[in-house]
């Protein structure tokens, strides 16, 4: 089976794309074949997982990732996404810009990926655990607070890549990133709430004077 990075390069940078200006998620799904869940989760988490700003992607893609994670938890074999989102056009230039930064990261992981600890990725208990972790990280991606997006998205990306390649070792590494992402997001949220409360108290004291 062709590597995901090679398929993405062929699809988005091949000669057949020179006359097109937009693509749809439905078109990209043709590359997935039987690897649908892992493929979708990798693609949707990639923009936010890159160590560069990706404004506008975290919330809508986080919603789609959450929908897919719930389906993993419930044992679905074939993923479902809202037709409106699947057929929503995306500028080809935007996707190409993301992939130019993302494909080198994909290639690094592909170099070490191989089927191992497969039961983590294919058994129902394993997929329930993976889906639960991804769902929590997707919620974190949707929180409009700086710092709660990138590490959770990286956790989803690595976990999902392991799922894509039936590589339980990589999936476990991704789950560790998910735990770190949860700790970081929780810490940031607590700091924001505590800081906001302190500022409000200070304003009240100042106005009282």
């Amino acid at each position: 089976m062709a590597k995901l990075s090679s398929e993405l390069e062929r699809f988005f940078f091949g000669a057949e794309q020179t006359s097109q200006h937009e693509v749809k998620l439905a078109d990209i799904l043709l590359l997935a074949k039987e690897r649908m869940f892992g493929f979708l989760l990798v693609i949707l988490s990639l923009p936010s997982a890159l160590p560069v700003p990706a404004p506008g992607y975290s919330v809508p893609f986080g919603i789609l990732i959450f929908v897919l994670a719930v389906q993993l938890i419930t044992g679905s074999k074939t993923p479902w996404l809202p037709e409106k989102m699947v057929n929503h056009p995306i500028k080809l230039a935007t996707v190409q810009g993301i992939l130019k930064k993302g494909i080198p990261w994909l290639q690094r992981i592909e170099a070490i990926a191989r089927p191992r600890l497969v039961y983590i990725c294919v058994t129902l208990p394993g997929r329930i655990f993976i889906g639960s972790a991804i769902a929590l990280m997707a919620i974190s991606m949707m929180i409009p607070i700086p710092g709660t997006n990138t590490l959770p998205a990286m956790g989803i990306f690595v976990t999902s890549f392991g799922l894509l390649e039936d590589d339980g070792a990589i999936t476990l590494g991704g789950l560790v990133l998910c735990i770190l992402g949860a700790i970081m997001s929780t810490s940031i949220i607590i700091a924001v709430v505590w800081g906001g409360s302190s500022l409000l108290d200070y304003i009240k004291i100042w106005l009282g004077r």
Side-chain angles (χ1 to χ4, degrees):
M1 185 178 294
K3 296 292 186 181
L4 177 59
S5 60
S6 300
E7 293 188 0
L8 291 174
E9 284 184 334
R10 175 184 59 79
F11 184 84
F12 287 102
F13 298 96
E16 66 271 16
Q17 293 293 350
T18 56
S19 61
Q20 297 188 31
H21 301 286
E22 294 180 336
V23 293
K24 299 176 182 177
L25 189 56
D27 300 326
I28 303 172
L29 291 181
L30 297 176
L31 302 177
K33 301 174 184 174
E34 70 273 15
R35 306 175 296 175
M36 193 75 75
F37 268 110
F39 180 91
L40 277 172
L41 290 166
V42 166
I43 293 297
L44 293 172
S45 61
L46 178 59
S48 297
L50 293 172
V52 293
Y57 292 103
S58 291
V59 174
F61 283 10
I63 293 172
L64 292 177
I65 290 170
F66 183 82
V67 171
L68 290 170
V70 170
Q71 293 174 58
L72 267 179
I73 294 169
T74 58
S76 297
K77 298 297 183 182
T78 304
W80 172 88
L81 289 173
E83 184 176 350
K84 184 177 181 180
M85 292 186 174
V86 171
N87 290 310
H88 182 74
I90 306 171
K91 290 184 178 179
L92 177 60
T94 300
V95 179
Q96 288 175 331
I98 293 171
L99 290 179
K100 284 179 181 178
K101 299 180 178 70
I103 285 177
W105 292 90
L106 271 175
Q107 291 172 334
R108 291 187 184 99
I109 301 179
E110 286 174 342
I112 62 172
R114 64 181 187 273
R116 52 189 164 177
L117 303 177
V118 175
Y119 62 90
I120 294 174
C121 302
V122 300
T123 62
L124 182 58
R127 290 167 79 89
I128 289 174
F129 191 82
I130 291 169
S132 300
I134 290 175
L136 290 174
M137 292 302 96
I139 292 172
S140 183
M141 283 179 60
M142 291 183 272
I143 298 173
I145 300 176
T148 62
N149 308 133
T150 303
L151 188 53
M154 289 176 64
I156 295 172
F157 176 81
V158 176
T159 301
S160 303
F161 191 87
L163 185 65
L164 175 69
E165 298 288 341
D166 285 340
D167 191 331
I170 288 179
T171 294
L172 288 175
L175 291 173
V176 171
L177 288 177
C178 288
I179 293 172
L180 295 176
I183 294 171
M184 175 177 285
S185 297
T186 302
S187 301
I188 291 172
I189 292 169
I190 291 173
V192 169
V193 172
W194 183 85
S197 299
S198 300
L199 179 61
L200 184 59
D201 292 339
Y202 178 82
I203 293 173
K204 287 180 179 178
I205 294 172
W206 184 80
L207 290 176
R209 292 179 181 177

